[in-house]
Amino acid sequence: MVVDIAGFQVADWVALVPSLILGVTAMLLFIVDSIEPRPGTSSNTVLAGLSTLGALGAFLVAGYFLVLGVGQPRGTGAVDLFNGQLVVDGMSLFFVVIVGSVTALVTLASYDYLEGQEYQAEYYGLVIMAATGMSLMASANSLATIFVSLELSSLPSYALVAFLKKNRGSVEGGLKYLLVGALSSSVLVYGISLVYAASGSLQLNAVADALAGGSSVPVGILGVGIIMVLLGFAFKTASVPFHFWAPEAYEGAPAPVSAFLSSASKAAGFVVAFRVFLTAFPEVGGLAGGDPMVDWVTAVTVLAVVTMTVGNFAAATQEKVKRMLAYSSVGHAGYALIGLAALNAPDQGFVLGASMMHLLVYGFMNTGAFLFIALTEHWGIGRTFQDFNGLSTQAPLACAAMTVFLFSLAGLPIGGGFISKLYLLAATAQAGSWLLGAALIVNSALSLFYYSRVVKAMWIEDPSADLEVDSYPSSLYAAVVIAAFVTFALLPAFGLLSPSAFDAASVLFG
Amino acid sequence: MAGAFDFVPAIAALPLLAFVVSLFAGQYMPKRGAEAGILATAGSLVLSIWTALTVAGITGSATSYNENLYTWVAGVADGAVTLRLGVLVDPLTALMLVIVSLIALLVHVFSLGYMNDEGETGLPRYYAGLGLFTASMLAFVFSNNLLMAFMFFELVGLCSYLLIGFWFREDGPPSAAKKAFLVTRFGDYFFLIGVVGVFATFGTGLFAPITEGGTVVAESFPQMAEHALEDGESFFGYSAQTWITILGMLVLGGVVGKSAQFPLHTWLPDAMEGPTPVSALIHAATMVAAGVYLVARMYGFYLLSPTALAVIALIGGFTALFAATMGVVKQELKQVLAYSTISQYGYMMLALGSGGYVAAVFHLTTHAIFKALLFLGAGSVIIAMHHNENMWDMGGLKDRMPVTYWTFLSGSLALAGIVPFAGFWSKDEVLFEALIHGFGSTGTLGTMFLVAYAMGLLAVFFTGFYTFRMVYLTFHGDARTDVARDPEPVGWNVKGPLSVLGIGAATVGLINMKPIADLTGLHIDFLHKWLLGPEEGGWPALTSTGLHHYEELMHNVAGIDPAYPLGETTTLLVSALVSLSLALAGVLVARSLYNEPEPVEHTDKLGGAKTLLMHNYYQDEYQVWLAQGVTVPLARAADKFDQGVVDGVVNGISSVSLFTGSRFRRIQSGVVTNYAALMTLSLVLLLVVFVVLGGGV
């Protein structure tokens, strides 16, 4: 097959170049490491540089494809690959942009964070492989490829969480993540098998066609399958009730890995959920009109409200900043779930697009917040709120950046988080889903409380006598500042990016 | 070609520039910023005079100007209000611009002697304050709409606050500044509601219609009110008449506060804590006039409400008498002047209320000159007396400071209303207008005017008395202290402004010698003609702020007409003679009591009245009681509600949230088998709810 990209007639796999770049980068990292196989001998600079370049390349190519119209109605139209097992469309490219940018920030920040650690090559290799898996999740269009790519992103993640092998929290978090992940994967794969049993197909469009049959569909089997698939994705997005791994894995993991998992991995989980439920199950859920066979929209609504509430309320009572951010990350999964919950709205593309934009902004602000934690871990100051007291006297730039992240996360008009939350609220209002809207408002108000605690500690409290910041790691700083700048810039530039999200989203609704 | 009207904004912009320069560069200048202020106010004066000449038709053909210059809030929807800044120039504006910039220039020069030569510190702040005040006052004067006027009204209030509290390290000034700010703010609160009411009712705050090529493109609110009254419209359930009265009274709240009328006059005597040039500029000649000027500016609106006119006249007459009696017992020079200022503004309000538009503007003009003179003269005496203001410590300064004495005497004769000094002509016209309108107007309105007239007339006696008590105590007799025997000499920068104003106080009355004009048939009532305009066309047709229009309204709407109980000429002469003889009587009583080498206090003879007057009729006491006895308990109750109910609810929500949070936190037990169990259980629960109960099986 041949597609037309920017006037060139090229083979259709070219549309998959962003994912390929990530895969090739992972291979290159292995080759570089195999030149000097003894642990700790490869050049950190080369490894970090290569990974960052690869991630940036994927980000830039995906962004360029989005601008060119690859996979979108105004350009080539959705590019189906391998008999529809993979698809490249606006949404997949949009999420590769998120994954690529977060990965680039994380690998950039890791350069300083990993200073003096062994097994650096393995670290970067795992990160890039997980990123490859995530980018493939964005394109996966069949339950089989979805499961494989999901595992491709999960397995390196388990190892990454436990990367600090001599750190008890890291190993414990990794093990719990693995165990919960194993349970979740089994639930997911069992759910997939039930959907296959009910529809006779794994390719999503074929599943949708099969299920459009009506009376002949075994609804009981299908229902159990759909709920199990939903919960399988809840694991990946760290949504209640499969969120249990998140607080401990995020807290125990090296902070850049926490940033990576809570931003990129979550976004990848969402793109899979969006694609499966909106490609394969729209009629089952009653989106095409008529009574739903399995009311997964209501199920998602319930999960969204519970996830928001549990995440934010639990975050409010934490003593450690990193764990607070972990719970806030759970809460944000609840916000993003609105994209699948408020689908009664007349303009469904707006609802889903709002959710996608929230994930984009979240990618920068949450990554930045965790990278700030990485900075404090690098400095060796403690983890509780009190340990941050007066930090602004030592590191005003980083603290200003962190303030931007936190306030944007809370939804104050200092960064893109304000507009994305506003759009989500507008989406709930359009759908007339007052429960979701009220939950969004109440939880955002509550979140301001615990985010402000960090800001207050940094700027208002007096520093303790022994607080001293002795180094200013340049790449970590750069990553934090870039993230802060983008978070801030997304406030005025939001309108530049949101059309591509809304267009990509409305395609899924035909 | 650019005419004078294109430069009107610069009249206010120049002092604003001086404000910036003095504030930031004042400390590097030899006179600490005074240079900038003097240059700017001189420039403003030149431009103001040019503007006035243009209005007079001498340097241009257009004799009025009314344009919107800047839109800062554009109303989008139909009927939405658009907020603009603009310039209105008519003879009233032009006159006031000249007065304000002239006094401002003289006060800047005088300040060189009063502040710089006395070695005060913080002068850049002082000159910045003067500059900002002058800019705001001038912009207030040429405002073309009510909201813009309100904004600059507030700005002059702010400057007054800053300058009264200039010596903020002492005890008195900060307290006086706060009092001035709070009391005037109380009045401005009503003014603000009035502004909102005017905008809500008419959709515009324009004082005069804007015309383009002969057609009206934007109507003014006094005109719209007039039409509404003719058409018998009603607003918000009130008849047009009632509603106009309500709006007028609300705006009057600001006027009463700013022009220190009863019952909001209490701030002005305390404001004397500020530097004396500030008292002269702000608390005598200009800012206090802002209230009266505002009424004159929207006179076409007030004329539609006889009730509001009666209230204005009564407030004015009462304040004139009330303040004059308090001035009788004061011992400090500036205190006497402060009460006299309140009293004189009472006359202007009396004139406006009783239909004497020209008289009010005339008295505003003469008063600005002679009261600024008296304050600057007092400032000169205060320099000489090393900042001792008690008149009982002075005496005999006549021979030692002749320039100050003669100019001060000129101002005092003007204030007392002795012919031919300025105050005589204007005060006589005020009283005459009140008298004839009192006889001529129908119903209770006429009675009210006569009551107000009687109070104003009685106040003439007290004015003459306290003025010359002050003069005799300060300048005549023997020196009563060592300082008075050897006063500090004052420089040219003090004598110069005094001389200019001294001549002014003697002569400015000549601009409107109405009695002479009527008796002789000579057309020398220039101010009257200035405000009357041409019979046909010209600026009155464009702005409808001319005297003809006002007289029509007076006759048609309010039913105010002149009547002459003794024939026109006789009434005029009798009125003038009565007020002059009362003034002379006051002067003579003061002379018999205090023109001795060693005068003694006679206030004890007043008995109980002395205590009452010394305590200013307990006005301060009752206002303090209002604040402490009424407002504080109310505020406490509100605070209780806030602390108890509102905060209680908020705290309750937060503790419930935190409690819930801690429960949610416990779900995360840290034991991974618990997690697996919970996950499985919730999977089962979801399956039950959405598959089994959802009708799947």
Side-chain angles (χ1 to χ4, degrees):
Chain A
M1 291 283 284
V2 169
V3 292
D4 176 11
I5 295 178
F8 296 100
Q9 300 295 321
V10 290
D12 53 3
W13 58 265
V14 171
L16 211 56
V17 160
S19 304
L20 293 177
I21 292 178
L22 286 170
V24 169
T25 309
M27 295 304 130
L28 278 178
L29 286 167
F30 276 127
I31 294 170
V32 169
D33 189 45
S34 63
I35 297 171
E36 285 278 3
R38 264 190 311 125
T41 48
S42 301
S43 160
N44 190 6
T45 317
V46 172
L47 295 170
L50 192 59
S51 320
T52 309
L53 281 180
L56 261 184
F59 159 66
L60 290 175
V61 173
Y64 187 54
F65 279 4
L66 259 186
V67 174
L68 287 179
V70 175
Q72 296 154 72
R74 67 190 160 87
T76 59
V79 181
D80 281 324
L81 295 158
F82 313 113
N83 290 328
Q85 297 297 302
L86 293 177
V87 66
V88 176
D89 60 3
M91 190 161 82
S92 75
L93 291 170
F94 190 86
F95 277 90
V96 173
V97 165
I98 299 179
V99 169
S101 51
V102 170
T103 311
L105 285 173
V106 166
T107 50
L108 178 63
S110 299
Y111 172 71
D112 283 326
Y113 191 85
L114 290 187
E115 208 181 320
Q117 297 277 357
E118 290 183 9
Y119 306 112
Q120 293 186 354
E122 285 78 354
Y123 173 90
Y124 289 112
L126 290 169
V127 168
I128 298 297
M129 273 192 286
T132 313
M134 291 168 196
S135 74
L136 281 175
M137 283 164 83
S139 286
N141 199 29
S142 143
L143 291 170
T145 45
I146 283 170
F147 186 72
V148 171
S149 57
L150 197 140
E151 289 304 315
L152 176 56
S153 79
S154 291
L155 291 172
S157 306
Y158 302 143
L160 281 171
V161 171
F163 179 74
L164 304 171
K165 287 202 289 186
K166 299 194 176 96
N167 182 315
R168 198 189 149 91
S170 174
V171 177
E172 185 185 328
L175 184 62
K176 285 179 179 170
Y177 188 20
L178 174 66
L179 291 172
V180 172
L183 177 61
S184 308
S185 290
S186 56
V187 169
L188 173 64
V189 81
Y190 190 43
I192 289 176
S193 72
L194 291 177
V195 171
Y196 179 68
S199 66
S201 230
L202 285 173
Q203 210 274 337
L204 297 180
N205 305 88
V207 171
D209 292 341
L211 295 181
S215 56
S216 63
V217 176
V219 177
I221 293 175
L222 180 66
V224 175
I226 287 180
I227 296 296
M228 287 184 136
V229 168
L230 176 64
L231 288 183
F233 298 149
F235 159 72
K236 201 68 190 158
T237 58
S239 304
V240 178
F242 280 26
H243 69 288
F244 289 106
W245 60 275
E248 272 144 45
Y250 291 169
E251 198 196 341
V257 172
S258 310
F260 183 59
L261 292 183
S262 63
S263 306
S265 182
K266 187 187 296 282
F270 271 106
V271 66
V272 169
F274 292 160
R275 197 179 290 287
V276 168
F277 280 88
L278 297 176
T279 309
F281 305 136
E283 295 194 28
V284 179
L287 292 185
D291 281 339
M293 279 190 268
V294 179
D295 193 359
W296 58 261
V297 175
T298 310
V300 173
T301 308
V302 170
L303 287 193
V305 172
V306 174
T307 304
M308 277 182 229
T309 313
V310 167
N312 282 301
F313 276 70
T317 49
Q318 298 302 323
E319 285 109 32
K320 295 177 184 162
V321 179
K322 200 174 176 189
R323 203 173 169 87
M324 177 277 280
L325 281 176
Y327 274 107
S328 111
S329 166
V330 173
H332 277 272
Y335 302 146
L337 274 175
I338 288 176
L340 273 183
L343 289 173
N344 299 327
D347 185 359
Q348 293 165 323
F350 175 76
V351 178
L352 185 59
S355 199
M356 286 165 62
M357 283 306 290
H358 188 66
L359 285 168
L360 173 71
V361 180
Y362 180 74
F364 287 98
M365 58 194 183
N366 185 59
T367 306
F370 270 110
L371 291 182
F372 178 82
I373 302 295
L375 199 54
T376 62
E377 285 177 1
H378 183 90
W379 288 328
I381 62 178
R383 302 187 150 210
T384 64
F385 286 89
Q386 286 80 23
D387 293 324
F388 283 38
N389 282 358
L391 197 52
S392 62
T393 56
Q394 302 276 328
L397 179 64
C399 286
M402 183 62 169
T403 309
V404 171
F405 300 138
L406 292 172
F407 280 158
S408 182
L409 281 166
L412 297 188
I414 194 173
F418 165 68
I419 309 186
S420 64
K421 253 188 198 173
L422 188 68
Y423 275 33
L424 283 174
L425 190 62
T428 62
Q430 272 195 18
S433 182
W434 304 116
L435 177 66
L436 278 173
L440 177 65
I441 291 172
V442 168
N443 282 302
S444 294
L446 180 65
S447 72
L448 187 58
F449 160 71
Y450 58 77
Y451 291 131
S452 314
R453 283 176 68 197
V454 183
V455 177
K456 176 166 169 262
M458 289 191 303
W459 293 97
I460 297 175
E461 302 290 342
D462 291 325
S464 63
D466 55 346
L467 176 79
E468 194 157 345
V469 170
D470 45 6
S471 63
Y472 296 92
S474 49
S475 76
L476 248 177
Y477 248 87
V480 168
V481 171
I482 291 170
F485 174 76
V486 176
T487 303
F488 171 74
L490 278 171
L491 183 63
F494 196 85
L496 290 179
L497 302 178
S498 55
S500 62
F502 293 136
D503 291 346
S506 27
V507 171
L508 287 187
F509 298 99
Chain B
M1 200 194 97
F5 294 142
D6 297 315
F7 292 99
V8 170
I11 295 177
L14 283 174
L16 188 67
L17 188 68
F19 156 67
V20 176
V21 170
S22 306
L23 193 61
F24 293 108
Q27 70 224 51
Y28 308 110
M29 302 164 91
K31 294 292 181 192
R32 300 287 180 268
E35 301 90 335
I38 291 172
L39 281 178
T41 44
S44 295
L45 180 61
V46 170
L47 287 174
S48 300
I49 291 172
W50 186 19
T51 306
L53 291 176
T54 311
V55 169
I58 297 171
T59 54
S61 54
T63 50
S64 70
Y65 178 80
N66 188 10
E67 292 292 336
N68 288 321
L69 297 182
Y70 175 68
T71 302
W72 53 283
V73 176
V76 185
D78 285 342
V81 174
T82 296
L83 307 181
R84 295 192 175 94
L85 300 184
V87 170
L88 166 64
V89 180
D90 69 354
L92 178 66
T93 312
L95 175 68
M96 194 70 184
L97 285 178
V98 174
I99 297 173
V100 173
S101 42
L102 173 68
I103 308 274
L105 173 63
L106 295 176
V107 164
H108 271 89
V109 174
F110 186 87
S111 294
L112 288 176
Y114 195 85
M115 303 298 284
N116 292 55
D117 295 353
E118 297 284 283
E120 297 287 348
T121 52
L123 286 175
R125 184 161 53 85
Y126 173 80
Y127 285 110
L130 279 190
L132 183 61
F133 169 79
T134 311
S136 316
M137 186 68 204
L138 290 165
F140 165 77
V141 168
F142 64 61
S143 295
N144 82 335
N145 67 70
L146 195 57
L147 183 67
M148 180 178 169
F150 176 77
M151 286 155 56
F152 288 105
F153 203 74
E154 293 305 302
L155 262 180
V156 292
L158 171 72
C159 296
S160 159
Y161 165 78
L162 292 174
L163 287 168
I164 295 171
F166 176 71
W167 288 306
F168 60 89
R169 287 193 179 82
E170 294 165 24
D171 290 337
S175 161
K178 258 184 277 179
K179 183 173 175 186
F181 198 71
L182 289 177
V183 173
T184 50
R185 214 59 45 222
F186 183 76
D188 290 347
Y189 176 70
F190 295 99
F191 183 12
L192 178 59
I193 300 176
V195 172
V196 174
V198 166
F199 271 89
T201 312
F202 304 109
T204 178
L206 282 178
F207 291 127
I210 294 181
T211 49
E212 257 173 37
T215 51
V216 175
V217 291
E219 273 200 289
S220 66
F221 75 92
Q223 273 191 317
M224 291 163 89
E226 199 183 321
H227 298 321
L229 204 58
E230 281 166 14
D231 303 341
E233 284 179 43
S234 64
F235 299 107
F236 308 103
Y238 294 98
S239 71
Q241 183 92 64
T242 319
W243 187 243
I244 290 168
T245 307
I246 290 173
L247 291 178
M249 298 307 283
L250 284 170
V251 174
L252 194 63
V255 172
V256 166
K258 193 70 83 189
S259 286
Q261 297 296 292
F262 176 82
L264 299 183
H265 62 277
T266 48
W267 65 272
L268 188 68
D270 288 34
M272 297 300 130
E273 293 281 356
T276 306
V278 169
S279 307
L281 176 64
I282 300 186
H283 305 119
T286 59
M287 185 192 83
V288 192
V292 171
Y293 178 81
L294 184 68
V295 175
R297 183 75 281 169
M298 47 190 279
Y299 202 49
F301 189 76
Y302 276 108
L303 284 176
L304 303 176
S305 166
T307 318
L309 287 178
V311 170
I312 293 174
L314 282 177
I315 287 181
F318 180 70
T319 308
L321 177 60
F322 185 68
T325 56
M326 289 188 274
V328 167
V329 297
K330 295 292 172 257
Q331 305 193 332
E332 297 193 334
L333 194 50
K334 280 176 76 181
Q335 289 293 312
V336 177
L337 290 175
Y339 281 101
S340 119
T341 304
I342 299 173
S343 169
Q344 296 303 306
Y345 280 101
Y347 279 113
M348 293 172 216
M349 295 289 276
L350 167 62
L352 285 169
S354 58
Y357 177 69
V358 180
V361 176
F362 188 25
H363 199 52
L364 177 62
T365 311
T366 57
H367 176 260
I369 304 283
F370 69 69
K371 190 53 67 66
L373 165 65
L374 286 173
F375 266 108
L376 294 186
S380 170
V381 170
I382 289 168
I383 298 175
M385 294 294 299
H386 298 289
H387 291 262
N388 182 352
E389 297 181 19
N390 193 334
M391 294 188 292
W392 291 102
D393 294 337
M394 300 176 186
L397 292 173
K398 175 166 67 116
D399 304 322
R400 295 176 188 88
M401 8 187 7
V403 176
T404 305
Y405 172 66
W406 288 110
T407 52
F408 198 88
L409 188 63
S410 165
S412 299
L413 288 167
L415 172 60
I418 308 298
V419 75
F421 289 87
F424 166 75
W425 304 105
S426 56
K427 197 184 292 178
D428 178 56
E429 193 171 337
V430 168
L431 291 171
F432 177 65
E433 295 277 346
L435 181 67
I436 59 173
H437 288 141
F439 279 115
S441 302
T442 48
T444 46
L445 191 59
T447 323
M448 295 295 163
F449 287 168
L450 287 178
V451 171
Y453 166 78
M455 290 192 284
L457 191 64
L458 195 52
V460 172
F461 169 76
F462 287 107
T463 310
F465 178 77
Y466 70 66
T467 308
F468 277 82
R469 171 175 175 269
M470 170 175 76
V471 172
Y472 287 124
L473 284 181
T474 308
F475 292 99
H476 290 250
D478 295 336
R480 288 183 289 277
T481 54
D482 290 338
V483 185
R485 266 182 283 281
D486 183 22
E488 193 178 311
V490 292
W492 64 270
N493 41 30
V494 169
K495 290 175 189 161
L498 284 178
S499 311
V500 172
L501 290 170
I503 295 166
T507 58
V508 78
L510 306 181
I511 61 172
N512 204 37
M513 294 186 291
K514 192 113 188 299
I516 309 258
D518 287 353
L519 286 177
T520 58
L522 292 174
H523 295 293
I524 53 169
D525 48 348
F526 302 109
L527 186 70
H528 187 259
K529 282 194 279 190
W530 175 253
L531 293 170
L532 185 66
E535 290 285 333
E536 291 291 325
W539 62 266
L542 291 175
T543 59
S544 49
T545 53
L547 193 55
H548 274 304
H549 181 64
Y550 290 158
E551 278 171 349
E552 277 168 30
L553 286 180
M554 268 199 275
H555 177 75
N556 296 340
V557 182
I560 302 176
D561 288 300
Y564 307 95
L566 305 171
E568 196 164 344
T569 317
T570 326
T571 312
L572 181 68
L573 286 177
V574 168
S575 164
L577 278 176
V578 167
S579 61
L580 182 61
S581 43
L582 271 174
L584 283 172
V587 174
L588 290 175
V589 172
R591 179 184 154 86
S592 68
L593 287 177
Y594 295 104
N595 188 21
E596 320 170 349
E598 297 291 336
V600 287
E601 293 195 44
H602 297 281
T603 43
D604 287 336
K605 290 175 195 157
L606 293 168
K610 178 198 170 187
T611 328
L612 187 65
L613 291 174
M614 282 300 220
H615 285 91
N616 307 324
Y617 296 97
Y618 298 99
Q619 290 289 303
D620 285 306
E621 279 75 3
Y622 98 80
Q623 286 181 356
V624 167
W625 176 81
L626 271 182
Q628 292 183 344
V630 180
T631 316
V632 171
L634 264 178
R636 281 230 177 82
D639 184 53
K640 273 256 158 49
F641 179 78
D642 186 53
Q643 300 273 334
V645 180
V646 179
D647 283 13
V649 170
V650 172
N651 290 338
I653 290 175
S654 94
S655 41
V656 167
S657 304
L658 290 179
F659 178 75
T660 324
S662 65
R663 293 283 135 173
F664 281 149
R665 211 183 133 179
R666 284 201 201 161
I667 305 172
Q668 197 82 19
S669 59
V671 181
V672 79
T673 44
N674 289 358
Y675 300 165
L678 282 170
M679 287 160 68
T680 319
L681 279 176
S682 40
L683 171 64
V684 171
L685 187 69
L686 282 170
L687 287 177
V688 168
V689 172
F690 286 96
V691 182
V692 181
L693 299 182
V697 179

